[in-house]
Amino acid sequence: MALLEVRDLSITFHRKGEEPSVAVDNISFNVEPGQTVGLVGESGCGKSVTSLAIMGLLPSRGAKVGGSVTFEGEELLGLSQRELDERRGRDLGMVFQDPLSSLNPVVPIGLQISEVLERHRKLGRKEAKAEAAELLNRVGIPDPKRRLDEYPHQLSGGMRQRALIAIALACRPRLLIADEPTTALDVTIQAQILSLLSELVSGTDTALIMITHDLGVVAGLCDEVNVMYGGRIVERAQRHALFAEPRHPYTHGLLASIPRLDAPRGEKLVPIRGSVVDNIAWSRGCAFAPRCPSQLEECWSDPPELVDDRGGMLRCHNPVEVAPMAAEGAR
Amino acid sequence: MSDDVLVTIDDLKVHFPIKRGIVLDRTVGYVYAVDGVSLTINRGETYGLVGESGCGKTTLGRALLRLVEPTDGRADFDGTDLSTLKGEELRTMRRRMQMVFQDPLSSLDPRQSVESLLVEGMRAHGLDKGKEQTHQRLKELLAAVGLPESALRRYPHEFSGGQRQRIGIARALAVEPDLIVADEPVSALDVSVQAQVVNLLEELQDELGLTYLVIAHDLAVVRHISDRIGVMYLGSMVEEADSDELYRQPLHPYTRALLSAIPVPDPVVEDSREQILLSGDLPSPADPPTGCRFHTRCPWRQETLCDTDRPQLREIGEGHRVACHYAEDILEGRLSPHEVEPELVQPDAVTS
């Protein structure tokens, strides 16, 4: 049995006087113990909302969540706040994008970590403090004892993100969700945080869901990758397969449109035309059809299903046949 | 000076005073945002300026256009010393140097239509010569940046991020500039849209012979569009080279670390490459380290010389300049990297 099973998860936001908007539309995926699963997509594709729904962090009013999310066989959706409090922090940890707004600005770092330890691991105050210092040390914060009494604003961005990771890891959760953990950071700091994350999850059976828009981050870290577009998963593959042979035109387009450091210079980028505002509803056809270079007539009228494809999953009527490397060589 | 040099920046410094006190307004220290940078930009070339946040790259770009007043040093534009210009002269000169900002929504007036946004600059510089002609020019501009003519009567909020950036570019082009300083032109955009704007910038350069100074933190983007690249760290230039050369053979330890830190969207490369992980954070520009600015994080740091002597940019190989005492030794493997203990960095440290 998988550690986390997401089945037909749908999230709809209702606003007074407006049409309900579907942020996530029937997505399903599994996370096995020790596995790193990526959710990739552009802003507005529903990747962050998915993580919030798993953690039970969406507001009960206004957001309607359907489907099922089971953690070790137990349904998470519909749990009461109290039941969720037991699991969050202990079994499920989360690292957010912006560490400054997710840490309490008026509480010292040490207290924010030991709070979790006292609550879930029932440690005494002294033990919790010692453990908090140990955790800060583990995530690579120099002079951890002194840092315990400092406030978030006294730490740099990278240090804050480390503190946040320390909090998320305090109770050795079995699932860690990282929502764009490095987007707000500089590249050299990003490299530090990514290597820290992969160190922390490899060798343990902690599973990691990595949510990002950066395909480079995915390439280095994830075992399995889900590419999302317009609230649905359009492609799922093992990481090597995805980059060597992207099957969905969207994945293919993304890879062709990012400048690569190791590519010869002077080559033109191949952008994806249009933007997400051009999308059509999934109920009518393929949401990506208006931007798709290989669209067929049926893409506009017949919504494609997510089907098995070369060891992964694919939602496309007209998948890409040629690997991008081969295509470049032919040009 | 040769004819094809458009911009010369010589030992430019921008120091921002840190003020304390309500009545007395004492100056308690300085943020050394840009601390002695020299570079030249040739006509028609794209110069890329990279570095992490707080390295002074944006301030340098703004100081060039005199949007911030340089503390010291000089910037020449097409043979004219910009620091001597005042008032009307400076305003007239600015027609030839335009800027494209990072966040297109906050740099476009939400209450001005696109037409009014574009005409404003033309009018200010006397390029608005009659209704017919101006309208013709506006049509050209929109066509050049790939927007429909109907955009003229619409407002910035009606556009997507990529389209807004196109408006920002059109506004810069409206006054027929020679130089465009683009500060993080694509970093606020979605990946699939970034490529559209990057391609647009390249096409416009080919067509109009523009000179670009592109400021960005994303080395992959900068390498793609730039002819030459300058790498900045804590207010100073640490390395400058041809963009292919910089990628092929980075000489400064910081450049090496920066290049190795950028994730490559290819698992095969990611699995095999060696990363140089820097420890610790960027020191505060209000209290920069002595000697080489990078010595607190440098895995190749050598005793005493790196701590006490600030290395100057020197040329190694053609057009490849580097500010490192031991660049040759590192290149030839005579020095090997060692572990670095991260130093404590207070983000708001102020020298008192």
Side-chain angles (χ1 to χ4, degrees):
Chain A
M1 185 182 58
L3 182 71
L4 183 84
E5 276 186 41
V6 177
R7 284 283 154 278
D8 303 324
L9 182 73
S10 302
I11 303 159
T12 315
F13 289 104
H14 295 270
R15 267 209 195 127
K16 224 174 167 179
E18 277 178 37
E19 289 279 294
S21 65
V22 184
V24 173
D25 195 4
N26 272 314
I27 69 165
S28 306
F29 61 92
N30 289 351
V31 183
E32 306 288 339
Q35 197 186 23
T36 300
V37 173
L39 287 183
V40 202
E42 294 175 281
S43 38
C45 73
K47 55 193 193 303
S48 290
V49 187
T50 303
S51 70
L52 294 178
I54 295 172
M55 294 292 283
L57 289 171
L58 287 173
S60 50
R61 280 211 279 171
K64 195 164 156 278
V65 182
S68 113
V69 176
T70 55
F71 181 75
E72 298 188 308
E74 187 195 16
E75 179 63 46
L76 288 181
L77 297 183
L79 288 185
S80 68
Q81 271 308 318
R82 183 176 297 226
E83 289 167 309
L84 274 172
D85 285 343
E86 272 311 303
R87 281 157 193 88
R88 287 196 294 233
R90 198 188 62 197
D91 297 331
L92 306 163
M94 181 141 182
V95 180
F96 296 90
Q97 172 172 2
D98 179 6
L100 191 57
S101 57
S102 22
L103 290 166
N104 189 334
V106 293
V107 177
I109 295 292
L111 212 57
Q112 299 195 42
I113 303 175
S114 51
E115 186 186 14
V116 194
L117 296 164
E118 286 172 38
R119 170 80 168 75
H120 290 297
R121 276 166 61 186
K122 312 284 180 239
L123 296 182
R125 192 174 285 181
K126 271 223 174 99
E127 294 167 288
K129 195 168 178 186
E131 178 73 20
E134 178 49 39
L135 277 163
L136 284 184
N137 190 34
R138 212 173 119 210
V139 295
I141 293 187
D143 199 2
K145 288 223 171 62
R146 219 185 101 196
R147 298 269 131 172
L148 287 178
D149 299 322
E150 291 192 340
Y151 291 87
H153 75 269
Q154 291 171 294
L155 302 176
S156 66
M159 289 293 157
R160 279 180 212 137
Q161 197 57 280
R162 284 166 195 268
L164 207 60
I165 292 175
I167 295 173
L169 290 174
C171 296
R172 304 191 192 100
R174 271 162 295 170
L175 176 68
L176 184 66
I177 301 179
D179 184 1
E180 303 261 10
T182 56
T183 310
L185 306 173
D186 278 320
V187 273
T188 59
I189 309 295
Q190 163 170 293
Q192 293 172 2
I193 298 289
L194 290 179
S195 88
L196 173 68
L197 278 175
S198 70
E199 239 169 67
L200 293 171
V201 294
S202 69
T204 63
D205 63 350
T206 300
L208 175 66
I209 299 181
M210 185 77 190
I211 295 168
T212 178
H213 69 276
D214 189 337
L215 284 165
V217 170
V218 171
L221 199 63
C222 297
D223 301 314
E224 189 178 77
V225 187
N226 294 294
V227 181
M228 290 183 70
Y229 190 80
R232 288 196 180 183
I233 292 175
V234 293
E235 183 166 11
R236 168 182 309 156
Q238 297 301 309
R239 122 186 118 116
H240 280 282
L242 184 83
F243 286 93
E245 256 181 61
R247 294 276 287 153
H248 198 282
Y250 175 63
T251 322
H252 187 270
L254 272 186
L255 284 169
S257 67
I258 38 183
R260 281 181 55 156
L261 211 48
D262 55 347
R265 243 197 109 229
E267 220 169 70
K268 276 242 147 183
L269 299 177
V270 189
I272 304 178
R273 66 167 173 239
S275 68
V276 280
V277 291
D278 303 323
N279 289 1
I280 61 171
W282 279 110
S283 53
R284 276 175 52 207
C286 177
F288 186 61
R291 303 176 68 190
C292 184
S294 46
Q295 49 173 296
L296 305 174
E297 222 164 272
E298 63 210 77
C299 299
W300 292 84
S301 53
D302 178 22
E305 293 296 321
L306 192 65
V307 292
D308 287 318
D309 174 80
R310 300 191 185 170
M313 304 282 274
L314 183 68
R315 185 192 294 279
C316 185
H317 289 307
N318 188 17
V320 181
E321 285 300 337
V322 198
M325 287 299 155
E328 262 162 38
R331 243 187 290 153
Chain B
M1 196 195 292
S2 72
D3 279 336
D4 53 353
V5 174
L6 185 66
V7 176
T8 314
I9 294 175
D10 187 28
D11 201 26
L12 194 79
K13 288 178 185 163
V14 183
H15 299 168
F16 295 111
I18 303 166
K19 305 267 193 181
R20 280 283 161 81
I22 298 160
V23 186
L24 286 174
D25 214 18
R26 297 173 296 138
T27 298
V28 294
Y30 289 95
V31 172
Y32 300 93
V34 178
D35 202 19
V37 172
S38 308
L39 59 87
T40 56
I41 306 174
N42 295 330
R43 214 179 284 276
E45 92 171 335
T46 304
Y47 192 97
L49 211 50
V50 280
E52 294 176 283
S53 46
C55 72
K57 53 189 192 301
T58 296
T59 309
L60 181 65
R62 295 179 144 252
L64 170 63
L65 302 190
R66 283 204 38 211
L67 294 174
V68 292
E69 232 18 73
T71 313
D72 196 16
R74 88 183 242 167
D76 287 356
F77 179 82
D78 205 7
T80 322
D81 182 357
L82 289 178
S83 60
T84 59
L85 296 183
K86 274 196 203 101
E88 186 56 25
E89 279 177 312
L90 180 63
R91 200 186 68 85
T92 322
M93 195 54 129
R94 284 229 177 94
R95 182 191 68 76
R96 303 180 55 194
M97 322 180 275
Q98 287 291 309
M99 187 142 181
V100 174
F101 297 91
Q102 171 171 8
D103 181 0
L105 190 56
S106 60
S107 55
L108 298 174
D109 184 347
R111 304 215 278 182
Q112 267 181 294
S113 68
V114 172
E115 176 166 11
S116 140
L117 280 166
L118 296 180
V119 169
E120 193 178 23
M122 291 165 64
R123 205 161 279 162
H125 290 293
L127 297 169
D128 178 13
K129 301 179 189 108
K131 218 168 174 185
E132 273 303 279
Q133 227 176 326
T134 305
H135 191 72
Q136 190 57 36
R137 172 80 183 132
L138 289 178
K139 276 205 295 197
E140 278 171 31
L141 278 172
L142 287 178
V145 298
L147 285 173
E149 210 182 308
S150 61
L152 282 179
R153 283 178 304 280
R154 290 160 67 192
Y155 289 82
H157 72 267
E158 297 175 63
F159 295 92
S160 68
Q163 288 174 320
R164 279 181 208 139
Q165 199 56 291
R166 287 170 195 269
I167 299 171
I169 293 170
R171 178 176 60 177
L173 290 177
V175 294
E176 297 159 32
D178 299 318
L179 172 76
I180 289 186
V181 176
D183 188 1
E184 301 275 8
V186 298
S187 58
L189 306 176
D190 259 326
V191 191
S192 67
V193 182
Q194 280 190 2
Q196 298 174 0
V197 174
V198 166
N199 281 355
L200 173 66
L201 285 172
E202 286 182 332
E203 284 158 22
L204 289 172
Q205 181 169 44
D206 290 346
E207 233 169 84
L208 306 170
L210 294 166
T211 307
Y212 288 140
L213 174 63
V214 177
I215 300 166
H217 69 278
D218 186 339
L219 197 47
V221 169
V222 169
R223 191 183 104 87
H224 184 85
I225 49 179
S226 307
D227 301 307
R228 277 189 310 140
I229 297 178
V231 183
M232 285 185 72
Y233 184 79
L234 265 190
S236 49
M237 181 84 80
V238 295
E239 187 164 0
E240 183 191 60
D242 194 84
S243 79
D244 281 326
E245 167 79 6
L246 188 81
Y247 176 73
R248 196 177 56 79
Q249 197 172 75
L251 291 175
H252 198 280
Y254 176 67
T255 317
R256 290 179 152 216
L258 196 64
L259 280 169
S260 84
I262 295 166
V264 176
D266 185 345
V268 184
V269 180
E270 278 287 317
D271 289 351
S272 60
R273 76 203 186 118
E274 242 177 271
Q275 271 206 344
I276 305 167
L277 273 189
L278 291 181
S279 59
D281 286 307
L282 198 75
S284 165
D287 182 19
T290 56
C292 175
R293 295 276 153 99
F294 187 57
H295 83 257
T296 54
R297 300 168 78 194
C298 181
W300 282 275
R301 165 198 181 186
Q302 299 298 307
E303 280 301 315
T304 65
L305 187 62
C306 291
D307 309 5
T308 52
D309 273 36
R310 190 169 168 194
Q312 295 302 315
L313 272 183
R314 58 203 172 91
E315 194 153 330
I316 299 180
E318 210 195 319
H320 198 150
R321 298 195 296 158
V322 61
C324 175
H325 295 302
Y326 296 100
E328 291 95 341
D329 295 332
I330 296 169
L331 179 65
E332 275 153 35
R334 285 197 290 270
L335 290 177
S336 48
H338 48 74
E339 284 283 308
V340 183
E341 274 298 305
E343 278 190 28
L344 279 183
V345 174
Q346 296 285 2
D348 49 359
V350 168
T351 42
S352 44

